[in-house]
Amino acid sequence: MKILTSKPYLNVLFALAIILLCLCGYLVYQQMRKLALSNSWVIHSYQIISKTNHLQSLINDGESRISFYMLSSNADLIKNINLIVNEIEKTFLELGVLMQDNTEQSNTLKILGTAIKTKTDRMHVLISNYQQNHDQGIAIASSQARYDLKQTIAALIKEINDRELGLLQQRLNDLNKDFNNFNLMLLGASALGLLMLVLSYIVLNYHLKQRENLLTVQEDMENELLIINEDLRQSERRLQLATEGNTAGIWDWIPGTSNVFYSDSFKNNLGYSEEEFPNTVESFEKAIHPEDHNRVWELVTNHLENNTPFITEYRLKSKKGIYKWFRAAGQSLRDKQGRATRMSGFIIDITESKKNTQYLSIQYGITRALIESRSLEEMSVKIIQIICEGLDWKMGSIWRKDENKSNDLYCLASWQKPSLKDDEFQKATMKIRTPVGKGLIGKVWQAQKPVWINDVMEEETFTRKHLAKNLGLHSAFYFPVFEKNKVVGLMEFFSHSKEATDEPLLNFFKTIGFLLEEYIQRELNKKQLIESEKYKSAILESALDGIVTINDQGEIISCNAQTATIFNYSIYELNHKSIELLMPGLLSALNELRTKEVSEFTGVKKNGGRIPCELTISKMQLDETAATVIIIRDITERKKIDQMKNEFISIVSHELRTPLTSIQGSLDLLADETVGPLSDDEKQLINIARNNSGRLIRLINDILDIQKIESGKTEFKLNIYEIKPIIEEAIAANEAYAQKFNVKLKLLEPYPNSVVNVDKDKLLQALTNLISNAIKFSPEKETVEIEIRELPTRMVRVSIRDKGPGIPKEFQPLIFQKFVQADSAATRKRGGTGLGLSITKAIIDSLNGKINFITKENSGSMFYFELPIANLVDNYGAPENLPIILICEPDDETANILQNIFRQNKFNTIITHTAAEAKKVINQANIDALITDVVLPDQSGISLIKELRVTNPSYLLPVVVISLAATQNVQKLKGSALSILDWIDKPIEQFRVIQAVKHIRAQMDANTVKILYVEDDKDLITVIQKAIGEEATIISANTIKDASAAMRREDFDLVILDLLLPDGSGIELLPEFSKRHIPVIVFSAYEFPENYAKYVKSALIKSKTSNHDLLKLIRTTLGQKEEEVGG
Amino acid sequence: MEDLQKIMLVEDEEDIRTVATFALEKRGKLTVKSFGSGQEALENVLNYNPQLILLDVMMPGMDGIATFKALRKMPELVEVPIIFMTAKAQQNEIAEYKALGAIEVISKPFDSSNLANQLREIWKKYHIEHTSST
């Protein structure tokens, strides 16, 4: 309304409008009245006219009735004449009333009255006359008087009527005029009204709008209030949610009054029902902790006065009497003067978090104490103090056990709050000595778990009651400190209040317990660690090996003193340097070296000198980075010693052999009587000398052998051999020796064709040892039996059986030891060195075999060894599908060199030593190439090749020849049809072999028959592919497009062509094949059109052709092609 | 193939020279000319024109290896096979000599009764290789 009053002109306007409207109304009203009056006069006139006319008609009616009655004498006609007369009189009277206002008319009416009276009277007379005398009556009736009267009356009525009509005319005019005026006036008033209406509408509309706005604002305010209320509720709920349960509440206070609203959860939180905690300030006053009281009120006052923020934490006492911590915040509403009219806010129960924070801060304090303390005592006191201060406990002690003496428990340290009045209790505590299990302390110690005592005053075993009482101590808490499940200490705390056991507190102490335990453990570990570190670093530093740790970039992270010493640097010079400084090229080789257990590498000293090093490289994870640890051993000395040893052996070997050569040589010649015949005595003596010289030579050889095998220095040149020829060779080699002893050697049949991977010479040596032993111990004329047998364990067993005296029991365990012979006299007699079996065992062991013996005294011994059976093709773990090359080379040395080179070039190898073996292998295995020496024991390499070419002319096996002066031989063999790919000179040079490998590969590729099979039926392709097998490689194309692509990609030896293809007819391809001279076999379901026959070798119809026929045709066609090429 | 007749022996040890000469000449009916050093051998080899050379390895001054290399350089001797006869005849050493081009290695102490036959066999084998290619 304020808005309306602020616009007074509107009131004036409205007043004016209303006055105007009233005026208009009044005028209209007046006019209306006038109009009504006029109208009434008009009506009045019409009434008079109507009445007069009625009167006239009544009189006429009466007259007529009378006349007809007289004529007809029908009495019915005059029966109601009286009624008519009465009606005439009534109407006349009414006219009189109506004409009262008009004197002129009244006067005329008076006259008319008299005339009518006369008339009516006469009527009566007439009727009665007539009833008495008809004729008289008729006479009267037809009298002039009657007529005249009638005329007079009519004239009078007409006079009245005319006059009245005149009046009516006048009155109608007036009415009309009035009506027009009224209309005009009404129009004016309406227009004015309308105008007012429009104006009012505008004004009202405007004001209504204003009002509407006002209402919206008001409504918004109301809504907002609702929302605020809802918010409050929500925030309370949220608070509760946030604090896990009903831990939040709301309060609302009107300052200056005692009126406070506390929400239900506020009260519930403290354990009160709604009624128990009245909505007054006093309730709060009662609940708040005395220590917090003043501070909180100060804050409230400040807030109210200065609007400083009100947010604080305080304690409220719950119904149970326990103080809980709350965080409170509030805000006030203020009036225009800035006075706070309301203050409201929330509180949250933060007891738990307060406790946790408290615990955390205690924990932190303890951790610090643990770190900072230098002794257990110092630490204990600190911890007690921290716990007491943190939890508001009055006193604490730590108890230990006197392990050395009495095993009694004693108080190691104690602390009490300075506020306590005396230290008597503490003093008493310090004096206590109690055994485990006795007294409160002893019992708690024994319990080995935290103990909570609500009130020590009620505890019988508690001896310090009287002193505790003085200090007002009640609750006590004990918790043990463990070290590896053993109680090593006990903490004791006292508090003033009688508090209940508290789960979080127990948990908290568990944590503290762990901390202490860990600390004690750590201290112990630290001690051990320091010692072990010292020990380790002592080892590290005194190590003879250099130990270097490098990071991914090869930078030296750390190294020991020895590293520096080895390379003549100081440690500081090496720090963060690249390892390449010490060992150039190491980083690039690192990955490869890491795979080896140890590897040799050349290091460089500070002065540039080179040192041979042996490296052990291992990777390790260092925090987040990978590091490599390299153990460097300076092997200069070892190298030197090795060399010296080798030299020594060499020298011994040479220096001993040289004189022996002369001795043996001379004796041999003498014994042979080369220089002249000898007497028997001479012969005997010379033979003694010769035998012993021979024995000395064998001894030297054996010593060298065993020394080498045992030191692992012997290189075993492993190759694949059939075992039987080796055995036969060994038998042959010992034949002469056997004859000397008059002993026979026999290889038992049947023998399996086992293949072994061995060093042939070494195996021969082992066999010779065993066979010669058997011979030596065999009785004369007996047979030494040799047997080869395959075992189910994929081993081949070779046994050598003699019928000798057997091996004495006590001697059996020593049989493979050095210089052991059952009978040293026998040794001498039999010329053994005592090393034979040791060497044999060492050899068999090195060949991954086993050696053993079975013996029976006086009936003989059997020595046997077992070797793993190998595959004929030696693929050394390489994939089996590699091509196989047959190396036919009698000299093992050369064969090995070749084998290595071919292996490196991805070939599997078979080594044979003779042409016969080679032929056998070629027949058995599917070899891909041959390399042969020209000189073979049984026939020449060249004749071998010739044989191969004759037996299998169609297949051009790639062949390489090795010979002395090969280059010259090439000249000689030029033009011969042997198709030798390459000649390699002896001694063999690696690069020449590699060249040969290339030639072989090229030839192999050329040898592969490739067939393009154009066919959309994939199953058929598979069938044909299977039928052809390894004879040729089939490349299939399903469409013309694929076929063209394949043709562009590679060369083919043959095309098999289907005609009906998804993208056209195979015929389209024919010209292209023809251009490339590729023979074509058409293999289709349809007849082949003859006009294309010139492009095609043969045409087969699918339904009429068997696979066999097709294969045959393929082979023939390929054969023809080769001939063409060869020709 | 001509028969083996003229052998040259290079050996610093006089006793061995004697024994070997005995073995080859008296027993083997071969002609032997022996020299006490590589140097001496090189000086006389062309005059003597041996069919086969037996060469010791460990010799003072010019050792067997050096002598071998020097001999191999002489175009006149391209087809003369050289055999090492040495006490240093361990497996690796043998491989080494063969790699140099020695056609065979006879280890000391040698079998004096059989030495001549041994040489004849080597000679034969060497010629199979030659003839097979011819």
Side-chain angles (χ1 to χ4, degrees):
Chain A
M1 292 328 277
K2 209 178 172 186
I3 298 164
L4 286 178
T5 49
S6 70
K7 287 177 179 134
Y9 71 94
L10 272 176
N11 287 356
V12 177
L13 208 68
F14 263 83
L16 278 174
I18 285 164
I19 291 165
L20 205 63
L21 267 176
C22 288
L23 202 67
C24 277
Y26 178 72
L27 284 173
V28 171
Y29 172 70
Q30 286 299 325
Q31 196 61 38
M32 236 164 79
R33 277 188 58 166
K34 207 176 161 193
L35 194 67
L37 196 66
S38 302
N39 198 33
S40 76
W41 281 117
V42 171
I43 291 165
H44 186 75
S45 293
Y46 278 122
Q47 275 177 332
I48 289 168
I49 291 164
S50 138
K51 292 274 177 205
T52 51
N53 286 342
H54 184 60
L55 192 66
Q56 182 64 55
S57 66
L58 282 172
I59 292 168
N60 287 347
D61 189 27
E63 274 297 305
S64 308
R65 280 168 187 262
I66 292 166
S67 298
F68 281 108
Y69 172 67
M70 284 172 181
L71 286 173
S72 64
S73 299
N74 188 349
D76 285 345
L77 288 171
I78 53 155
K79 205 171 58 185
N80 295 323
I81 201 85
N82 276 342
L83 290 173
I84 294 169
V85 173
N86 286 345
E87 182 70 22
I88 292 168
E89 282 169 359
K90 193 184 148 209
T91 310
F92 182 79
L93 282 176
E94 282 173 2
L95 270 173
V97 172
L98 284 170
M99 289 180 187
Q100 272 172 347
D101 59 315
N102 195 328
T103 40
E104 200 176 353
Q105 288 284 55
S106 298
N107 291 337
T108 315
L109 194 66
K110 268 176 199 164
I111 302 163
L112 182 63
T114 323
I116 286 168
K117 184 76 185 149
T118 316
K119 185 73 190 174
T120 51
D121 290 346
R122 280 181 184 176
M123 277 176 182
H124 288 292
V125 171
L126 196 61
I127 291 161
S128 54
N129 281 349
Y130 180 71
Q131 281 162 344
Q132 290 154 13
N133 186 345
H134 287 279
D135 297 331
Q136 197 193 357
I138 294 166
I140 297 170
S142 48
S143 70
Q144 189 64 39
R146 192 176 150 232
Y147 178 77
D148 288 346
L149 188 57
K150 194 184 161 189
Q151 286 297 319
T152 312
I153 291 170
L156 281 170
I157 289 174
K158 195 180 178 285
E159 193 191 323
I160 291 168
N161 247 0
D162 287 346
R163 204 179 285 136
E164 202 58 48
L165 276 172
L167 276 172
L168 181 64
Q169 193 58 50
Q170 195 187 334
R171 281 170 183 166
L172 275 172
N173 284 343
D174 285 348
L175 181 67
N176 211 20
K177 214 164 81 190
D178 285 344
F179 191 72
N180 282 343
N181 286 346
F182 176 72
N183 273 353
L184 271 174
M185 200 159 284
L186 201 64
L187 197 69
S190 298
L192 189 69
L194 200 66
L195 185 73
M196 292 297 289
L197 211 66
V198 169
L199 269 174
S200 320
Y201 174 76
I202 292 167
V203 171
L204 267 176
N205 201 30
Y206 170 75
H207 285 289
L208 274 174
K209 252 192 189 149
Q210 295 259 349
R211 191 171 159 70
E212 210 169 88
N213 286 343
L214 206 67
L215 280 173
T216 317
V217 169
Q218 211 169 341
E219 215 167 88
D220 283 352
M221 277 165 76
E222 273 164 24
N223 282 341
E224 214 163 290
L225 269 172
L226 278 175
I227 290 165
I228 289 167
N229 282 341
E230 183 56 27
D231 274 355
L232 267 174
R233 239 168 280 146
Q234 286 279 351
S235 56
E236 188 177 66
R237 233 171 281 148
R238 266 202 298 276
L239 281 170
Q240 286 164 359
L241 275 176
T243 49
E244 289 180 14
N246 286 337
T247 58
I250 282 176
W251 49 270
D252 193 351
W253 175 49
I254 300 166
T257 73
S258 175
N259 249 337
V260 193
F261 166 78
Y262 307 101
S263 74
D264 287 353
S265 55
F266 186 114
K267 298 174 182 178
N268 294 343
N269 221 327
L270 291 168
Y272 293 106
S273 70
E274 212 187 326
E275 298 78 30
E276 284 172 323
F277 197 87
N279 286 336
T280 60
V281 173
E282 286 69 39
S283 307
F284 178 75
E285 290 277 292
K286 251 187 240 168
I288 192 160
H289 195 283
E291 283 179 20
D292 298 333
H293 180 272
N294 292 346
R295 179 174 57 84
V296 171
W297 278 115
E298 221 167 87
L299 278 169
V300 171
T301 316
N302 253 336
H303 173 75
L304 293 178
E305 282 171 6
N306 309 320
N307 208 6
T308 53
F310 175 72
I311 177 157
T312 182
E313 288 169 10
Y314 51 75
R315 281 160 288 182
L316 294 178
K317 200 187 215 164
S318 71
K319 194 180 172 185
K320 282 184 189 164
I322 296 167
Y323 279 104
K324 286 178 140 189
W325 273 101
F326 292 91
R327 177 170 298 128
Q331 184 60 48
S332 52
L333 287 175
R334 285 161 196 279
D335 63 10
K336 280 176 190 167
Q337 284 76 41
R339 276 186 315 231
T341 53
R342 265 175 87 175
M343 183 173 174
S344 53
F346 65 86
I347 61 165
I348 300 173
D349 183 348
I350 53 161
T351 317
E352 280 303 309
S353 82
K354 193 87 180 167
K355 224 177 233 178
N356 288 337
T357 323
Q358 201 179 11
Y359 292 166
L360 266 179
S361 88
I362 295 171
Q363 220 163 299
Y364 171 72
I366 289 174
T367 313
R368 264 190 67 167
L370 290 178
I371 294 165
E372 289 170 359
S373 305
R374 285 155 189 239
S375 67
L376 195 59
E377 284 83 353
E378 189 188 338
M379 180 196 82
S380 305
V381 174
K382 268 191 190 166
I383 288 173
I384 293 165
Q385 185 181 345
I386 289 162
I387 293 174
C388 285
E389 283 177 345
L391 294 176
D392 195 21
W393 285 350
K394 302 303 163 194
M395 185 194 162
S397 332
I398 184 157
W399 296 79
R400 296 269 292 168
K401 194 157 103 177
D402 186 356
E403 300 264 355
N404 300 331
K405 289 181 192 168
S406 55
N407 258 349
D408 278 348
L409 303 177
Y410 67 96
C411 181
L412 177 76
S414 175
W415 183 89
Q416 65 174 41
K417 266 202 173 170
S419 58
L420 289 188
K421 23 182 194 179
D422 63 54
D423 58 354
E424 289 302 314
F425 182 78
Q426 198 178 12
K427 277 180 187 162
T429 302
M430 295 303 288
K431 277 180 195 159
I432 289 176
R433 292 286 181 275
T434 178
V436 176
K438 282 210 171 160
L440 185 56
I441 297 290
K443 284 193 170 161
V444 171
W445 185 288
Q446 207 173 28
Q448 300 214 344
K449 61 181 180 188
V451 173
W452 180 272
I453 293 164
N454 277 351
D455 194 352
V456 278
M457 301 312 286
E458 289 163 19
E459 204 60 37
E460 280 178 29
T461 45
F462 187 61
T463 51
R464 292 164 281 171
K465 259 182 214 159
H466 58 290
L467 295 168
K469 201 177 174 182
N470 287 344
L471 296 178
L473 303 178
H474 286 285
S475 286
F477 180 64
Y478 294 87
F479 86 93
V481 181
F482 288 94
E483 183 204 318
K484 285 186 182 165
N485 300 326
K486 191 183 144 205
V487 178
V488 292
L490 185 68
M491 292 220 159
E492 180 190 45
F493 297 97
F494 293 98
S495 138
H496 268 156
S497 52
K498 298 178 198 171
E499 283 174 61
T501 324
D502 179 341
E503 196 60 35
L505 188 72
L506 282 177
N507 285 336
F508 164 67
F509 271 104
K510 242 180 233 168
T511 316
I512 302 287
F514 285 136
L515 275 177
L516 291 177
E517 190 182 338
E518 230 167 69
Y519 170 79
I520 293 168
Q521 196 55 47
R522 203 171 51 229
E523 283 300 303
L524 276 175
N525 288 348
K526 215 194 276 172
K527 224 183 240 176
Q528 284 168 0
L529 195 71
I530 287 167
E531 270 160 29
S532 117
E533 268 306 304
K534 271 185 196 161
Y535 177 66
K536 275 184 199 156
S537 72
I539 292 176
L540 201 66
E541 284 313 312
S542 62
L544 290 173
D545 292 336
I547 299 168
V548 181
T549 311
I550 59 169
N551 62 15
D552 280 345
Q553 285 76 47
E555 195 179 278
I556 296 172
I557 301 169
S558 72
C559 67
N560 66 349
Q562 185 62 19
T563 311
T565 313
I566 291 173
F567 295 95
N568 278 2
Y569 285 94
S570 77
I571 287 191
Y572 310 101
E573 282 177 295
L574 290 180
N575 232 347
H576 297 296
K577 293 277 164 55
S578 169
I579 190 72
E580 293 274 309
L581 177 70
L582 305 179
M583 278 174 284
L586 180 70
L587 284 180
S588 50
L590 206 56
N591 277 332
E592 194 201 325
L593 295 179
R594 222 184 327 245
T595 60
K596 298 180 189 167
E597 215 164 286
V598 285
S599 42
E600 287 187 12
F601 208 87
T602 309
V604 178
K605 291 192 188 195
K606 195 178 181 181
N607 59 16
R610 300 190 162 261
I611 27 169
C613 297
E614 189 181 83
L615 307 182
T616 309
I617 296 167
S618 53
K619 205 161 187 161
M620 61 181 246
Q621 202 61 31
L622 213 78
D623 295 333
E624 274 168 23
T625 56
T628 303
V629 179
I630 307 171
I631 299 174
I632 306 165
R633 178 165 292 178
D634 178 358
I635 53 170
T636 315
E637 280 304 304
R638 200 170 77 194
K639 283 261 160 181
K640 244 184 234 168
I641 292 168
D642 269 359
Q643 206 179 339
M644 276 164 68
K645 199 163 122 194
N646 284 342
E647 273 166 17
F648 175 75
I649 289 166
S650 201
I651 286 163
V652 167
S653 138
H654 183 257
E655 295 305 318
L656 287 176
R657 277 167 205 241
T658 303
L660 278 169
T661 307
S662 306
I663 297 167
Q664 184 77 21
S666 306
L667 291 172
D668 281 349
L669 290 171
L670 280 172
D672 282 357
E673 299 182 323
T674 309
V675 286
L678 299 171
S679 72
D680 284 353
D681 286 351
E682 285 169 334
K683 254 188 199 166
Q684 197 190 349
L685 289 170
I686 285 172
N687 270 334
I688 291 169
R690 198 175 156 210
N691 283 343
N692 281 289
S693 149
R695 208 178 135 208
L696 190 56
I697 291 165
R698 281 200 302 281
L699 195 57
I700 293 166
N701 287 345
D702 281 358
I703 290 171
L704 284 173
D705 270 352
I706 198 147
Q707 188 273 332
K708 277 179 74 181
I709 293 171
E710 284 187 344
S711 65
K713 283 280 153 65
T714 308
E715 227 181 292
F716 275 77
K717 296 190 168 106
L718 299 178
N719 267 321
I720 302 291
Y721 295 95
E722 276 182 46
I723 198 161
K724 193 201 133 209
I726 299 177
I727 290 166
E728 282 172 337
E729 196 177 333
I731 292 172
N734 283 281
E735 208 62 69
Y737 190 65
Q739 277 169 19
K740 218 166 88 182
F741 285 85
N742 201 7
V743 170
K744 280 192 187 120
L745 299 177
K746 190 181 174 194
L747 178 61
L748 297 181
E749 289 192 55
Y751 38 78
N753 213 358
S754 309
V755 176
V756 285
N757 186 19
V758 293
D759 181 320
K760 188 182 158 192
D761 287 339
K762 293 287 186 314
L763 184 60
L764 271 174
Q765 192 181 354
L767 274 166
T768 302
N769 275 333
L770 293 175
I771 293 171
S772 64
N773 268 356
I775 292 168
K776 272 186 279 185
F777 292 98
S778 200
E780 271 187 64
K781 291 183 186 165
E782 276 295 348
T783 308
V784 170
E785 290 173 341
I786 296 141
E787 191 188 15
I788 312 170
R789 217 168 70 197
E790 270 191 12
L791 303 177
T793 49
R794 293 263 328 142
M795 302 284 271
V796 58
R797 175 187 284 186
V798 179
S799 14
I800 296 106
R801 195 180 296 124
D802 67 60
K803 297 195 173 63
I807 305 158
K809 225 179 188 147
E810 65 278 8
F811 183 63
Q812 284 172 16
L814 312 168
I815 194 97
F816 292 112
Q817 291 183 8
K818 278 169 233 166
F819 298 109
V820 174
Q821 268 186 339
D823 178 354
S824 51
T827 308
R828 272 196 297 282
K829 190 180 97 195
R830 294 180 171 109
T833 59
L835 286 169
L837 280 176
S838 317
I839 293 171
T840 305
K841 187 178 185 326
I843 290 170
I844 298 295
D845 286 349
S846 300
L847 294 173
N848 294 324
K850 285 183 252 177
I851 186 165
N852 215 333
F853 62 94
I854 299 167
T855 184
K856 205 177 167 191
E857 243 170 301
N858 299 320
S859 64
S861 313
M862 182 185 86
F863 279 83
Y864 63 88
F865 62 84
E866 289 166 13
L867 292 171
I869 294 170
N871 296 320
L872 181 63
V873 179
D874 161 30
N875 59 19
Y876 270 78
E880 279 180 19
N881 55 7
L882 290 183
I884 303 166
I885 187 160
L886 173 63
I887 302 168
C888 187
E889 168 60 61
D891 180 47
D892 278 338
E893 213 50 57
T894 316
N896 279 324
I897 295 170
L898 289 171
Q899 185 179 46
N900 283 332
I901 298 171
F902 278 104
R903 272 187 201 153
Q904 282 163 16
N905 286 281
K906 302 221 160 65
F907 275 88
N908 282 330
T909 54
I910 305 176
I911 294 179
T912 61
H913 300 81
T914 63
E917 276 174 40
K919 280 182 267 183
K920 207 164 136 194
V921 169
I922 290 167
N923 285 331
Q924 279 174 5
N926 218 343
I927 64 156
D928 296 285
L930 167 71
I931 183 161
T932 179
D933 201 318
V934 166
V935 185
L936 298 173
D938 42 357
Q939 69 182 91
S940 92
I942 301 301
S943 64
L944 171 68
I945 299 165
K946 273 179 190 157
E947 268 180 50
L948 288 177
R949 295 292 183 233
V950 172
T951 45
N952 192 357
S954 63
Y955 183 58
L956 203 65
L957 180 74
V959 175
V960 174
V961 169
I962 310 159
S963 85
L964 269 175
T967 346
Q968 293 153 19
N969 287 327
V970 173
Q971 297 300 318
K972 290 175 198 163
L973 275 171
K974 235 181 189 171
S976 77
L978 295 180
S979 302
I980 293 166
L981 276 182
D982 205 349
W983 293 79
I984 298 175
D985 271 312
K986 250 181 173 180
I988 286 167
E989 285 166 300
Q990 181 157 347
F991 84 94
R992 286 287 298 117
V993 183
I994 290 168
Q995 277 182 348
V997 169
K998 280 181 192 154
H999 291 145
I1000 290 168
R1001 288 232 181 252
Q1003 173 78 42
M1004 276 166 56
D1005 284 349
N1007 277 353
T1008 319
V1009 175
K1010 271 192 272 181
I1011 299 175
L1012 175 63
Y1013 189 7
V1014 190
E1015 167 66 73
D1016 59 339
D1017 180 348
K1018 285 174 186 158
D1019 291 337
L1020 192 57
I1021 295 172
T1022 317
V1023 170
I1024 301 296
Q1025 219 152 20
K1026 278 202 178 132
I1028 289 176
E1030 287 181 7
E1031 275 180 53
T1033 310
I1034 288 190
I1035 282 127
S1036 61
N1038 304 128
T1039 60
I1040 291 176
K1041 206 175 134 206
D1042 286 356
S1044 308
M1047 231 179 344
R1048 281 194 298 275
R1049 211 167 45 230
E1050 46 200 314
D1051 294 330
F1052 293 98
D1053 299 287
L1054 177 69
V1055 174
I1056 306 171
L1057 182 64
D1058 184 17
L1059 293 181
L1060 206 64
L1061 295 164
D1063 55 346
S1065 165
I1067 291 174
E1068 293 169 32
L1069 289 164
L1070 289 174
E1072 187 59 29
F1073 294 138
S1074 171
K1075 210 165 84 190
R1076 292 171 193 248
H1077 303 290
I1078 308 172
V1080 178
I1081 296 173
V1082 171
F1083 188 49
S1084 174
Y1086 300 97
E1087 288 281 351
F1088 178 68
E1090 272 188 20
N1091 44 336
Y1092 286 98
K1094 60 171 176 173
Y1095 292 119
V1096 172
K1097 282 268 169 194
S1098 326
L1100 299 175
I1101 293 174
K1102 277 180 182 170
S1103 53
K1104 295 181 189 166
T1105 316
S1106 71
N1107 285 347
H1108 181 74
D1109 293 339
L1110 179 63
L1111 272 183
K1112 224 164 107 186
L1113 184 61
I1114 291 169
R1115 287 199 189 110
T1116 342
T1117 314
L1118 286 172
Q1120 283 167 5
K1121 193 198 174 199
E1122 230 158 70
E1123 273 166 33
E1124 279 167 25
V1125 173
Chain B
M1 181 186 86
E2 46 182 340
D3 284 343
L4 179 63
Q5 194 56 54
K6 281 168 83 177
I7 311 281
M8 181 170 94
L9 172 65
V10 189
E11 166 68 64
D12 61 320
E13 190 84 15
E14 200 186 338
D15 286 352
I16 294 178
R17 280 210 302 274
T18 314
V19 173
T21 308
F22 259 98
L24 294 175
E25 289 198 330
K26 290 265 172 173
R27 191 165 172 83
K29 309 296 178 210
L30 297 169
T31 316
V32 179
K33 195 154 184 96
S34 59
F35 300 96
S37 73
Q39 201 57 49
E40 213 181 313
L42 287 175
E43 279 163 18
N44 296 289
V45 65
L46 292 180
N47 293 332
Y48 177 59
N49 198 18
Q51 284 171 293
L52 188 144
I53 300 167
L54 267 179
L55 187 57
D56 186 20
V57 177
M58 299 262 283
M59 291 189 290
M62 191 179 201
D63 71 359
I65 307 292
T67 313
F68 179 92
K69 285 179 180 164
L71 288 170
R72 271 281 159 261
K73 276 184 190 157
M74 299 182 175
E76 299 89 342
L77 301 175
V78 160
E79 295 206 25
V80 177
I82 302 173
I83 297 168
F84 278 110
M85 190 163 77
T86 175
K88 275 176 73 93
Q90 298 190 45
Q91 229 172 27
N92 57 327
E93 291 162 332
I94 293 172
E96 203 180 300
Y97 308 141
K98 284 198 175 171
L100 268 177
I103 62 160
E104 201 50 80
V105 179
I106 294 171
S107 65
K108 287 178 184 172
F110 51 86
D111 182 353
S112 57
S113 328
N114 211 24
L115 184 62
N117 288 338
Q118 228 177 323
L119 290 190
R120 284 202 172 91
E121 261 172 43
I122 293 167
W123 176 253
K124 214 166 109 192
K125 192 177 147 196
Y126 174 72
H127 278 275
I128 287 171
E129 197 169 313
H130 267 243
T131 45
S132 66
S133 34
T134 26

